[in-house]
Amino acid sequence: NNLTINRDNGLTLNSQALTVNTLTIAGTTSQLTLGGNTTIAGTGSTVAAGTTLNIPVGITLNVNEGKALTNSGTITNNGDLILKSSTTGTASLLSTATVNNVTQQRYLSSNQRGWRLLSNPLASSTFGTLATNSTTPLTLGSGASGSYNSVLNTWSSGTDTDNMLSQQAYKVFVRGRTSEVTGTSYSVSPPSNV
């Protein structure tokens, strides 16, 4: 259930599809290279200072819902690192350094059209891209976004083409699933969760 790497040289797990409860890369020069898809299912997974986790092209590391991957070392990601989200929670990456190719999922549990408060811990993306790249494509309302100005205690209004910058609070108006809504008309009653 637990995998701890604590050695002076690297370890490569070739063609191994793993599900681990806790992944710990410790020591001062330890390296782990994943040769197959891996899922972290438990809390407390860490990449310690001075250590390296390598995710090659074509390999996916999933961090399950409600679990955390803490990086104080280096994560070299040429594959995919997916932080999963569902009704049970949302995974997180706590990192002292930039990590490339991270997908942060965010499950929205309500089936009601309305405002959601979101923030973006990753690189900038437009609100339209957020909606169309969703696992369940979403339709946003007109004037569907805006950022919070904490100094003035006000909200701005924006459109699908506006950037969702990193580490900023936003409001997003979700009409519903693209397959179920046209304008303000719904083909399913009540609407499905998004």
Side-chain angles (χ1 to χ4, degrees):
N1 287 337
N2 301 318
L3 175 62
T4 300
I5 309 298
N6 190 355
R7 49 190 286 159
D8 292 334
N9 52 8
L11 174 65
T12 300
L13 299 175
N14 288 318
S15 302
Q16 301 297 313
L18 300 174
T19 299
V20 295
N21 185 48
T22 301
L23 171 64
T24 304
I25 305 174
T28 56
T29 59
S30 298
Q31 291 187 19
L32 172 63
T33 300
L34 299 176
N37 296 330
T38 302
T39 299
I40 296 173
T43 59
S45 295
T46 59
V47 179
T51 66
T52 304
L53 171 62
N54 294 306
I55 307 169
V57 172
I59 302 302
T60 299
L61 173 60
N62 292 300
V63 181
N64 272 4
E65 297 89 333
K67 311 309 177 188
L69 173 60
T70 301
N71 174 42
S72 298
T74 302
I75 297 177
T76 302
N77 184 14
N78 294 307
D80 294 298
L81 173 55
I82 300 176
L83 307 174
K84 304 191 91 170
S85 183
S86 70
T87 57
T88 61
T90 298
S92 59
L93 170 65
L94 308 173
S95 184
T96 58
T98 300
V99 180
N100 294 325
N101 306 322
V102 177
T103 299
Q104 172 71 71
Q105 296 180 350
R106 179 63 174 95
Y107 182 82
L108 302 176
S109 60
S110 175
N111 64 348
Q112 300 298 311
R113 61 188 294 269
W115 293 100
R116 307 295 190 278
L117 299 177
L118 300 175
S119 65
N120 176 17
L122 308 175
S124 298
S125 177
T126 68
F127 289 94
T129 300
L130 171 75
T132 57
N133 286 350
S134 174
T135 305
T136 304
L138 305 174
T139 296
L140 303 179
S142 58
S145 65
S147 61
Y148 180 66
N149 182 326
S150 60
V151 174
L152 300 174
N153 194 26
T154 59
W155 288 93
S156 68
S157 290
T159 68
D160 286 4
T161 60
D162 291 343
N163 278 323
M164 185 179 195
L165 303 176
S166 180
Q167 302 177 30
Q168 169 72 45
Y170 289 99
K171 62 179 181 176
V172 179
F173 190 83
V174 177
R175 287 197 189 276
R177 293 183 179 205
T178 300
S179 61
E180 297 180 1
V181 62
T182 304
T184 57
S185 300
Y186 294 85
S187 61
V188 175
S189 183
S192 302
N193 286 352
V194 292

